[in-house]
Amino acid sequence: VDAHSYKPMEILTSLKGLTVEIHHTDAEGRLCLADAMTWAQREYDTEVMIDMATLTGACVVALGENTSAVFYNDEVLADELVNASSKALEQTWKMPIM
């Protein structure tokens, strides 16, 4: 922790060019992940990207400790992930991105 750390109410610009207002400094990991995903999309011209991060306690509150949230904007891919998870005996719950 030093003078260069994120501070509440600070506005940052992501690699994608979007601005993000910091309400809580726990957002640092999500912002790093968003920039890493943007970089990978640009560098590798991805068709599909899957993020398996566990960066929010809200999913634990909503779904419990044994179920993973599947956020998606591609219904077919989400169904494939849920089916594969089921075969591996992993519990998932679909959470569409609107």
Side-chain angles (χ1 to χ4, degrees):
V1 177
D2 67 13
H4 300 291
S5 298
Y6 298 156
K7 298 169 188 66
M9 308 313 286
E10 190 169 2
I11 305 222
L12 303 176
T13 302
S14 71
L15 182 62
K16 194 172 189 174
L18 301 173
T19 54
V20 180
E21 182 177 0
I22 303 298
H23 287 275
H24 196 282
T25 54
D26 281 349
E28 181 177 343
R30 287 178 281 247
L31 294 173
C32 291
L33 176 62
D35 280 353
M37 292 177 78
T38 297
W39 178 85
Q41 287 173 320
R42 291 177 180 175
E43 187 72 18
Y44 296 105
D45 192 30
T46 59
E47 291 182 32
V48 172
M49 185 175 291
I50 300 171
D51 163 24
M52 300 294 287
T54 56
L55 295 174
T56 179
C59 286
V60 174
V61 172
L63 303 175
E65 294 188 6
N66 299 315
T67 303
S68 297
V70 177
F71 290 91
Y72 64 95
N73 61 359
D74 181 324
E75 187 84 33
V76 173
L77 178 60
D79 287 341
E80 289 176 11
L81 289 169
V82 168
N83 289 334
S85 297
S86 179
K87 289 178 185 176
L89 303 178
E90 295 288 340
Q91 298 177 22
T92 57
W93 190 265
K94 287 170 46 179
M95 308 281 279
I97 298 173
M98 304 290 184

